[in-house]
Amino acid sequence: MTSEPSSSTESHGEGLHPENHRSQMRSSDERMLLVFDFDATIVHGNTDVKIEEVLAAGTVPSWRKGQCWTDHMAEVFEVCRVQGVTPATMEKCLTKMPLAPGMDKVFHHIRQHRHKYKVVVASDANTWFIEVLLRHYKLDDLVDNVHTNPAEWRDGKLHITRYTDSHSCPKCPANMCKTEILSIHPTSSPRFYTGDGSNDLCPVLSLCERDTAFPRFGFCLCKKLREREVKCGVREWKDAVVIIKKLEEMC
């Protein structure tokens, strides 16, 4: 698994400059591309909200209107430092989160047909949270690339920075456009995008007729897609086994 913020470093190797990293990934891949959001998609719940449970009551900083969410989480992690929250405490909290319904079966299917799929996570969470949970559920070997906000422990604090400080999309949050992430992973095969939130709308709108979006039923993305026409196929899900059925149709 490779974690890929814009100032990207390989999880298991030497760091790469972003322009070199992107050029390495531009060549088209024949595998089907599976892109997953993380919070409320792979895991059931929001990691940033879950982690508030490690803080004393009434001490969670308030999000300010217009504030980049990643900057808000930096403030949360500073409070964690002040209160002496350790990596072990955070990990214990996060690993109480279950997978979203049916996701265990989806990744079991991916494992059985590993050669057919390139698996990418595109999330506004952070590298440390995602790595903890992928490792906990033994999914880390099934994910090829992770695009998220970089985070690392230094001096008793989880330091987080934005995935990027510059992108050209006016519709997306300042730190991330998932359509630009999709463009890093060209493929000659169909693409499948699974997500739940408002920042998943932009990449879904970029999909074409051969592609499929899987919005989680009852969540923001699902509601937004019901209000507009899109080029790709759309299959809502309460249980992620819906994704497997579509993938099997393509095999």
Side-chain angles (χ1 to χ4, degrees):
M1 177 183 68
T2 302
S3 297
E4 295 167 12
S6 284
S7 54
S8 173
T9 57
E10 294 275 3
S11 293
H12 305 293
E14 185 176 343
L16 294 171
H17 295 295
E19 62 271 17
N20 294 337
H21 191 64
R22 288 171 185 268
S23 65
Q24 283 188 2
M25 299 172 64
R26 292 286 183 186
S27 58
S28 184
D29 198 316
E30 293 184 357
R31 293 174 293 172
M32 288 184 277
L33 179 65
L34 310 184
V35 181
F36 295 88
D37 182 29
F38 193 75
D39 291 324
T41 298
I42 291 179
V43 294
H44 185 59
N46 186 303
T47 52
D48 290 341
V49 174
K50 180 68 176 178
I51 211 65
E52 294 178 1
E53 295 178 10
V54 305
L55 293 176
T59 63
V60 178
S62 298
W63 175 78
R64 299 183 297 278
K65 186 176 181 180
Q67 183 183 26
C68 177
W69 184 258
T70 309
D71 300 344
H72 166 69
M73 289 309 299
E75 296 175 357
V76 171
F77 296 147
E78 172 60 18
V79 177
C80 289
R81 183 196 66 80
V82 170
Q83 295 185 17
V85 177
T86 65
T89 301
M90 279 198 186
E91 186 164 346
K92 183 178 180 180
C93 175
L94 290 170
T95 53
K96 292 178 181 178
M97 299 179 71
L99 294 174
M103 274 297 160
D104 57 335
K105 297 181 179 65
V106 170
F107 280 92
H108 178 70
H109 171 85
I110 292 170
R111 188 177 297 281
Q112 289 182 313
H113 305 278
R114 189 69 184 95
H115 64 288
K116 296 181 180 179
Y117 304 121
K118 181 176 184 179
V119 180
V120 172
V121 171
S123 166
D124 200 19
N126 67 73
T127 52
W128 194 79
F129 283 8
I130 292 173
E131 287 168 3
V132 163
L133 282 161
L134 290 180
R135 185 172 63 247
H136 175 70
Y137 284 109
K138 297 179 173 58
L139 305 178
D140 50 323
D141 64 316
L142 298 176
V143 177
D144 295 290
N145 304 101
V146 175
H147 296 271
T148 189
N149 303 297
E152 62 176 347
W153 283 91
R154 298 193 313 271
D155 303 320
K157 176 182 174 179
L158 185 60
H159 292 261
I160 187 172
T161 54
R162 297 183 184 188
Y163 173 78
T164 184
D165 279 319
S166 61
H167 62 72
S168 59
C169 179
K171 299 176 288 186
C172 289
N175 66 309
M176 180 177 292
C177 171
K178 294 186 180 183
T179 298
E180 292 193 2
I181 291 172
L182 275 180
S183 72
I184 300 171
H185 300 279
T187 177
S188 57
S189 298
R191 298 174 295 175
F192 304 88
Y193 191 99
T194 306
D196 72 288
S198 58
N199 67 346
D200 295 309
L201 179 62
C202 184
V204 169
L205 294 178
S206 75
L207 298 178
C208 60
E209 289 82 358
R210 68 180 181 181
D211 304 326
T212 305
F214 298 100
R216 190 172 180 186
F217 178 82
F219 286 73
C220 180
L221 177 62
C222 184
K223 296 172 184 176
K224 287 181 178 292
L225 289 178
R226 290 182 178 184
E227 297 170 354
R228 63 184 69 210
E229 293 185 6
V230 293
K231 296 178 182 177
C232 66
V234 177
R235 296 197 180 186
E236 301 174 2
W237 62 280
K238 294 181 181 178
D239 187 311
V241 294
V242 169
I243 300 169
I244 300 174
K245 293 176 181 178
K246 178 61 179 179
L247 294 177
E248 288 177 338
E249 290 175 11
M250 306 300 295
C251 293

XYZ file of all heavy atoms in Angstrom, residues 35-112:
611
model
N -12.244 2.794 -6.633
C -11.891 3.922 -5.769
C -12.897 3.989 -4.627
O -14.115 3.980 -4.856
C -11.884 5.254 -6.551
C -11.493 6.402 -5.629
C -10.931 5.172 -7.738
N -12.380 4.058 -3.409
C -13.220 4.106 -2.218
C -12.914 5.354 -1.397
O -11.742 5.664 -1.152
C -12.959 2.895 -1.306
C -13.321 1.569 -1.890
C -12.404 0.856 -2.645
C -14.579 1.017 -1.666
C -12.730 -0.395 -3.185
C -14.911 -0.223 -2.193
C -13.989 -0.931 -2.951
N -13.952 6.043 -0.958
C -13.814 6.953 0.158
C -13.547 6.068 1.383
O -13.648 4.839 1.312
C -15.101 7.775 0.310
C -15.023 8.799 1.427
O -13.917 9.274 1.721
O -16.070 9.091 2.019
N -13.234 6.668 2.520
C -12.930 5.854 3.701
C -14.005 5.972 4.785
O -14.704 5.008 5.081
C -11.555 6.234 4.267
C -11.056 5.240 5.273
C -10.574 4.006 4.859
C -11.073 5.517 6.629
C -10.126 3.063 5.770
C -10.627 4.587 7.563
C -10.150 3.356 7.125
N -14.170 7.175 5.343
C -15.167 7.362 6.400
C -16.570 7.132 5.867
O -16.933 7.638 4.799
C -15.069 8.776 6.992
C -13.792 8.982 7.790
O -13.355 8.028 8.462
O -13.239 10.096 7.736
N -17.362 6.374 6.621
C -18.747 6.058 6.256
C -18.845 5.334 4.918
O -19.911 5.276 4.313
C -19.618 7.321 6.244
N -17.731 4.775 4.479
C -17.713 4.000 3.234
C -17.021 2.660 3.482
O -17.676 1.624 3.488
C -17.019 4.781 2.103
O -17.760 5.982 1.846
C -16.966 3.966 0.827
N -15.718 2.685 3.722
C -15.046 1.450 4.124
C -15.348 1.152 5.594
O -15.693 0.034 5.956
C -13.529 1.532 3.868
C -13.262 1.536 2.357
C -12.809 0.340 4.528
C -11.795 1.638 1.982
N -15.215 2.172 6.442
C -15.600 1.994 7.844
C -16.956 2.631 8.090
O -17.358 3.563 7.391
C -14.556 2.575 8.825
C -13.259 1.798 8.738
C -14.327 4.054 8.584
N -17.654 2.111 9.077
C -18.995 2.608 9.429
C -18.836 3.690 10.484
O -18.654 3.409 11.671
C -19.845 1.463 9.965
C -21.266 1.850 10.242
N -22.097 2.340 9.258
C -22.005 1.822 11.387
C -23.291 2.585 9.787
N -23.249 2.289 11.066
N -18.861 4.931 10.038
C -18.670 6.055 10.940
C -17.578 6.968 10.435
O -16.960 6.719 9.387
N -17.340 8.029 11.181
C -16.364 9.045 10.794
C -15.208 9.027 11.790
O -15.410 9.238 12.984
C -17.040 10.423 10.785
C -16.138 11.511 10.256
O -15.053 11.739 10.776
N -16.595 12.215 9.225
N -14.007 8.759 11.305
C -12.854 8.650 12.194
C -12.576 9.948 12.940
O -12.195 9.926 14.121
C -11.602 8.233 11.406
O -11.427 9.107 10.278
C -11.718 6.796 10.920
N -12.758 11.096 12.269
C -12.501 12.380 12.923
C -13.473 12.630 14.067
O -13.111 13.248 15.073
C -12.591 13.520 11.909
C -11.441 13.526 10.915
O -10.407 12.900 11.212
O -11.576 14.154 9.847
N -14.696 12.186 13.904
C -15.697 12.327 14.985
C -15.423 11.300 16.077
O -15.488 11.614 17.273
C -17.119 12.156 14.421
C -18.138 12.156 15.555
C -17.429 13.271 13.420
N -15.092 10.091 15.688
C -14.831 9.032 16.657
C -13.711 9.406 17.613
O -13.784 9.151 18.822
C -14.484 7.741 15.920
C -14.191 6.544 16.825
C -15.435 6.086 17.560
C -15.166 4.837 18.383
N -16.373 4.408 19.137
N -12.664 10.041 17.094
C -11.491 10.325 17.915
C -11.781 11.346 19.004
O -11.023 11.453 19.987
C -10.307 10.769 17.009
C -8.969 10.334 17.635
C -10.346 12.265 16.735
C -8.783 8.843 17.710
N -12.876 12.093 18.866
C -13.246 13.041 19.914
C -13.524 12.348 21.250
O -13.461 12.967 22.309
C -14.472 13.850 19.483
C -14.217 14.771 18.288
C -15.467 15.515 17.860
O -16.528 15.318 18.506
O -15.394 16.298 16.887
N -13.791 11.044 21.191
C -14.088 10.298 22.409
C -12.889 10.191 23.349
O -13.055 9.912 24.536
C -14.579 8.885 22.056
C -15.905 8.863 21.312
C -16.349 7.461 20.941
O -15.718 6.484 21.420
O -17.316 7.335 20.168
N -11.682 10.430 22.826
C -10.499 10.338 23.694
C -10.273 11.622 24.477
O -9.413 11.658 25.370
C -9.231 9.992 22.881
C -9.433 8.719 22.072
C -8.799 11.141 21.978
N -11.005 12.677 24.172
C -10.823 13.969 24.836
C -11.804 14.155 25.981
O -12.908 13.600 25.974
C -10.993 15.105 23.828
C -9.919 15.190 22.730
C -10.267 16.286 21.744
C -8.547 15.422 23.337
N -11.397 14.960 26.929
C -12.273 15.291 28.049
C -13.502 16.029 27.540
O -13.433 16.795 26.567
C -11.524 16.148 29.067
N -14.622 15.806 28.180
C -15.887 16.432 27.765
C -15.753 17.948 27.725
O -15.180 18.567 28.627
C -17.000 16.025 28.722
N -16.259 18.519 26.648
C -16.285 19.964 26.522
C -14.990 20.597 26.049
O -14.881 21.825 26.012
N -14.013 19.776 25.664
C -12.715 20.330 25.262
C -12.444 20.225 23.764
O -11.383 20.624 23.294
C -11.560 19.635 26.017
O -11.528 18.238 25.661
C -11.728 19.783 27.522
N -13.385 19.678 23.003
C -13.185 19.561 21.558
C -13.319 20.941 20.912
O -14.344 21.621 21.109
C -14.210 18.594 20.931
C -14.005 18.518 19.418
C -14.097 17.211 21.557
N -12.326 21.393 20.160
C -12.430 22.707 19.520
C -13.611 22.761 18.554
O -13.953 21.764 17.919
C -11.105 22.827 18.752
C -10.192 21.842 19.376
C -11.049 20.721 19.874
N -14.224 23.924 18.446
C -15.345 24.102 17.524
C -14.826 24.390 16.119
O -13.854 25.130 15.948
C -16.238 25.265 17.987
O -16.791 24.990 19.253
N -15.474 23.778 15.144
C -15.157 24.083 13.757
C -15.723 25.451 13.418
O -16.854 25.790 13.773
C -15.764 23.034 12.833
C -15.590 23.342 11.366
C -14.480 23.175 10.615
C -16.582 23.898 10.488
N -14.695 23.572 9.321
C -15.981 24.023 9.210
C -17.913 24.291 10.659
C -16.675 24.533 8.113
C -18.605 24.797 9.562
C -17.978 24.914 8.311
N -14.927 26.276 12.742
C -15.362 27.618 12.366
C -15.809 27.628 10.906
O -15.161 27.008 10.047
C -14.224 28.621 12.571
C -13.760 28.701 14.019
C -12.678 29.752 14.195
N -11.475 29.454 13.441
C -10.525 28.617 13.860
N -10.661 27.978 15.016
N -9.443 28.405 13.128
N -16.900 28.303 10.625
C -17.425 28.356 9.268
C -16.358 28.838 8.302
O -15.699 29.855 8.524
C -18.644 29.280 9.205
C -19.338 29.288 7.844
C -20.593 30.148 7.860
C -21.286 30.128 6.505
N -22.524 30.962 6.500
N -16.166 28.089 7.211
C -15.168 28.440 6.212
C -13.796 27.856 6.495
O -12.904 27.933 5.642
N -13.624 27.274 7.670
C -12.327 26.693 8.022
C -12.108 25.376 7.292
O -13.017 24.537 7.204
C -12.254 26.456 9.537
C -10.918 25.913 10.030
C -10.922 25.621 11.523
O -11.974 25.358 12.118
N -9.755 25.673 12.141
N -10.910 25.178 6.749
C -10.581 23.893 6.147
C -10.635 22.831 7.234
O -10.068 23.004 8.322
C -9.189 23.949 5.517
S -8.642 22.372 4.812
N -11.308 21.714 6.936
C -11.492 20.683 7.957
C -10.152 20.128 8.459
O -9.994 19.827 9.643
C -12.362 19.550 7.412
C -12.659 18.523 8.461
C -12.067 17.304 8.619
C -13.599 18.646 9.525
N -12.588 16.653 9.722
C -13.536 17.462 10.292
C -14.508 19.652 9.909
C -14.334 17.250 11.415
C -15.307 19.426 11.027
C -15.209 18.246 11.766
N -9.177 20.022 7.578
C -7.863 19.521 7.982
C -7.219 20.445 9.009
O -6.588 19.986 9.972
C -6.936 19.381 6.762
O -7.616 18.637 5.751
C -5.647 18.679 7.116
N -7.399 21.740 8.833
C -6.871 22.702 9.806
C -7.592 22.562 11.149
O -6.979 22.699 12.216
C -7.023 24.127 9.269
C -6.261 24.338 7.957
O -5.392 23.504 7.628
O -6.555 25.329 7.266
N -8.877 22.294 11.090
C -9.633 22.040 12.324
C -9.082 20.807 13.045
O -8.887 20.816 14.272
C -11.112 21.835 12.004
C -11.904 21.259 13.129
N -12.181 21.952 14.288
C -12.459 20.014 13.282
C -12.888 21.184 15.105
N -13.063 20.006 14.520
N -8.798 19.752 12.299
C -8.278 18.538 12.935
C -6.893 18.766 13.531
O -6.535 18.153 14.545
C -8.249 17.381 11.929
C -9.627 16.857 11.551
S -10.674 16.455 12.986
C -9.703 15.178 13.793
N -6.118 19.658 12.950
C -4.828 20.012 13.551
C -5.039 20.610 14.939
O -4.262 20.343 15.872
C -4.080 20.990 12.652
N -6.097 21.393 15.091
C -6.419 21.965 16.399
C -6.873 20.879 17.375
O -6.528 20.904 18.561
C -7.497 23.040 16.250
C -7.044 24.237 15.427
C -8.164 25.244 15.189
O -9.317 24.982 15.618
O -7.886 26.291 14.578
N -7.644 19.915 16.874
C -8.075 18.799 17.717
C -6.864 18.020 18.220
O -6.768 17.666 19.406
C -9.033 17.867 16.940
C -9.315 16.593 17.738
C -10.330 18.583 16.603
N -5.906 17.772 17.337
C -4.732 16.985 17.725
C -3.826 17.753 18.689
O -3.115 17.142 19.486
C -3.960 16.543 16.484
C -4.741 15.609 15.598
C -4.564 15.622 14.213
C -5.661 14.713 16.130
C -5.281 14.766 13.398
C -6.384 13.855 15.318
C -6.200 13.881 13.948
N -3.863 19.068 18.641
C -3.122 19.852 19.633
C -3.737 19.672 21.018
O -3.025 19.522 22.018
C -3.096 21.330 19.237
C -2.514 22.257 20.288
C -1.065 21.947 20.674
O -0.368 21.241 19.912
O -0.640 22.424 21.749
N -5.060 19.651 21.089
C -5.735 19.400 22.372
C -5.404 17.983 22.853
O -5.176 17.762 24.052
C -7.254 19.605 22.255
C -7.951 19.271 23.576
C -7.569 21.035 21.844
N -5.362 17.040 21.931
C -4.960 15.670 22.290
C -3.563 15.670 22.918
O -3.316 14.982 23.919
C -4.965 14.769 21.057
S -6.613 14.364 20.419
N -2.645 16.433 22.348
C -1.280 16.512 22.893
C -1.288 17.067 24.307
O -0.649 16.516 25.216
C -0.393 17.382 21.996
C 1.058 17.460 22.464
C 1.799 18.621 21.810
N 1.263 19.915 22.229
C 1.563 20.505 23.380
N 2.374 19.925 24.250
N 1.037 21.692 23.667
N -2.031 18.157 24.490
C -2.090 18.805 25.804
C -2.634 17.837 26.852
O -2.183 17.813 28.007
C -2.948 20.086 25.725
C -3.231 20.639 27.122
C -2.258 21.141 24.861
N -3.597 17.006 26.448
C -4.216 16.073 27.384
C -3.462 14.741 27.487
O -3.892 13.834 28.193
C -5.676 15.833 26.994
C -6.535 17.084 27.122
C -8.010 16.828 26.866
O -8.484 15.704 26.884
N -8.752 17.918 26.634
N -2.343 14.633 26.780
C -1.514 13.441 26.898
C -2.051 12.206 26.198
O -1.728 11.076 26.580
N -2.852 12.411 25.165
C -3.397 11.274 24.411
C -2.273 10.602 23.626
O -1.536 11.263 22.885
C -4.514 11.731 23.455
C -5.019 10.562 22.618
C -5.658 12.345 24.249
N -2.142 9.315 23.768
C -1.055 8.561 23.134
C -1.526 7.870 21.852
O -2.737 7.701 21.638
C -0.520 7.482 24.091
O -1.571 6.515 24.320
C -0.078 8.095 25.412
N -0.588 7.439 21.008
C -0.978 6.649 19.834
C -1.781 5.415 20.212
O -2.751 5.067 19.515
C 0.369 6.272 19.199
C 1.304 7.347 19.632
C 0.862 7.729 21.014
N -1.393 4.751 21.301
C -2.109 3.543 21.720
C -3.556 3.856 22.079
O -4.471 3.085 21.765
C -1.397 2.894 22.902
N -3.777 4.992 22.740
C -5.140 5.389 23.109
C -5.980 5.673 21.869
O -7.132 5.243 21.767
C -5.114 6.636 24.014
O -4.368 6.340 25.189
C -6.522 7.057 24.408
N -5.390 6.394 20.928
C -6.113 6.679 19.682
C -6.417 5.387 18.920
O -7.521 5.207 18.407
C -5.300 7.625 18.799
C -5.402 9.088 19.167
S -4.842 10.112 17.769
C -4.885 11.733 18.520
N -5.434 4.514 18.846
C -5.627 3.270 18.103
C -6.720 2.418 18.731
O -7.555 1.840 18.025
C -4.317 2.492 18.034
C -4.391 1.260 17.161
C -3.037 0.704 16.786
O -2.022 1.408 16.982
O -2.999 -0.425 16.261
N -6.743 2.348 20.038
C -7.780 1.584 20.730
C -9.160 2.142 20.418
O -10.129 1.395 20.225
C -7.526 1.603 22.231
C -8.519 0.775 23.035
C -8.178 0.803 24.525
C -9.184 -0.024 25.329
N -8.862 -0.006 26.788
N -9.258 3.468 20.357
C -10.526 4.122 20.035
C -10.948 3.818 18.599
O -12.085 3.413 18.336
C -10.389 5.624 20.248
S -11.830 6.598 19.769
N -10.035 3.996 17.655
C -10.365 3.831 16.246
C -10.758 2.404 15.904
O -11.676 2.172 15.107
C -9.171 4.253 15.377
C -8.849 5.750 15.339
C -7.516 5.980 14.636
C -9.951 6.542 14.657
N -10.077 1.443 16.503
C -10.321 0.048 16.123
C -11.623 -0.503 16.696
O -11.978 -1.654 16.425
C -9.140 -0.850 16.544
O -8.863 -0.667 17.935
C -7.900 -0.516 15.725
N -12.354 0.322 17.427
C -13.707 -0.050 17.837
C -14.710 0.177 16.710
O -15.854 -0.283 16.778
C -14.132 0.747 19.070
C -13.362 0.395 20.336
C -13.802 1.265 21.501
C -13.020 0.957 22.776
N -13.415 1.849 23.898
N -14.270 0.907 15.670
C -15.160 1.197 14.546
C -15.309 -0.035 13.665
O -14.308 -0.625 13.242
C -14.613 2.363 13.701
C -14.480 3.665 14.453
S -13.811 4.994 13.410
C -15.230 5.286 12.330
N -16.532 -0.450 13.360
C -16.727 -1.599 12.473
C -16.587 -1.189 11.007
O -16.633 -0.004 10.670
C -18.162 -2.024 12.766
C -18.846 -0.737 13.133
C -17.815 0.080 13.876
N -16.403 -2.166 10.164
C -16.502 -1.920 8.736
C -17.951 -1.619 8.372
O -18.876 -2.056 9.063
C -16.016 -3.139 7.954
C -14.530 -3.495 8.078
C -14.252 -4.818 7.368
C -13.643 -2.394 7.520
N -18.150 -0.875 7.303
C -19.502 -0.631 6.807
C -20.119 -1.965 6.372
O -19.401 -2.894 5.994
C -19.468 0.342 5.637
N -21.440 -2.076 6.426
C -22.093 -3.346 6.081
C -21.667 -3.879 4.715
O -21.748 -3.177 3.712
C -23.584 -2.982 6.090
C -23.679 -1.832 7.029
C -22.419 -1.046 6.830
N -21.196 -5.108 4.701
C -20.822 -5.765 3.460
C -19.417 -5.485 2.973
O -18.949 -6.136 2.030
N -18.697 -4.552 3.596
C -17.350 -4.233 3.115
C -16.373 -5.382 3.307
O -15.436 -5.547 2.524
C -16.820 -2.965 3.789
C -17.213 -1.685 3.112
S -16.529 -1.557 1.432
C -17.630 -0.315 0.743
N -16.575 -6.171 4.338
C -15.709 -7.342 4.511
C -15.842 -8.287 3.322
O -14.856 -8.842 2.827
C -16.037 -8.067 5.818
C -17.500 -8.492 5.918
O -18.369 -7.862 5.273
O -17.784 -9.456 6.655
N -17.051 -8.428 2.815
C -17.291 -9.295 1.664
C -16.705 -8.688 0.392
O -16.192 -9.411 -0.468
C -18.785 -9.558 1.506
C -19.422 -10.299 2.679
C -20.898 -10.536 2.447
C -21.536 -11.297 3.587
N -21.534 -10.534 4.856
N -16.800 -7.369 0.251
C -16.218 -6.708 -0.919
C -14.713 -6.974 -0.984
O -14.172 -7.350 -2.032
C -16.494 -5.190 -0.891
C -15.676 -4.471 -1.971
C -17.979 -4.911 -1.092
N -14.038 -6.795 0.134
C -12.595 -6.988 0.127
C -12.212 -8.460 0.045
O -11.138 -8.797 -0.472
C -11.960 -6.291 1.328
C -11.781 -4.813 1.101
C -12.762 -3.905 1.481
C -10.654 -4.337 0.456
C -12.606 -2.544 1.249
C -10.488 -2.980 0.210
C -11.467 -2.083 0.601
N -13.078 -9.333 0.496
C -12.846 -10.760 0.273
C -12.903 -11.069 -1.220
O -12.071 -11.825 -1.745
C -13.880 -11.595 1.030
C -13.741 -13.076 0.822
N -12.683 -13.811 1.333
C -14.513 -13.967 0.129
C -12.814 -15.073 0.977
N -13.907 -15.200 0.252
N -13.860 -10.475 -1.910
C -13.962 -10.639 -3.370
C -12.718 -10.088 -4.056
O -12.169 -10.724 -4.975
C -15.207 -9.914 -3.885
C -15.288 -9.840 -5.382
N -15.810 -10.843 -6.163
C -14.876 -8.862 -6.249
C -15.731 -10.506 -7.438
N -15.169 -9.312 -7.514
N -12.261 -8.919 -3.613
C -11.052 -8.333 -4.201
C -9.856 -9.262 -4.005
O -9.059 -9.466 -4.923
C -10.774 -6.950 -3.571
C -11.859 -5.939 -4.005
C -9.394 -6.436 -3.963
C -11.822 -4.631 -3.251
N -9.746 -9.845 -2.816
C -8.630 -10.750 -2.554
C -8.672 -11.975 -3.491
O -7.638 -12.443 -3.965
C -8.648 -11.194 -1.091
C -7.399 -11.985 -0.682
C -7.432 -12.343 0.791
N -7.417 -11.177 1.660
C -6.341 -10.473 1.962
N -5.164 -10.817 1.434
N -6.415 -9.432 2.767
N -9.862 -12.467 -3.745
C -10.004 -13.639 -4.610
C -9.673 -13.339 -6.067
O -9.308 -14.243 -6.820
C -11.430 -14.187 -4.512
C -11.752 -14.859 -3.185
C -13.160 -15.418 -3.182
O -14.123 -14.745 -3.583
N -13.294 -16.664 -2.737
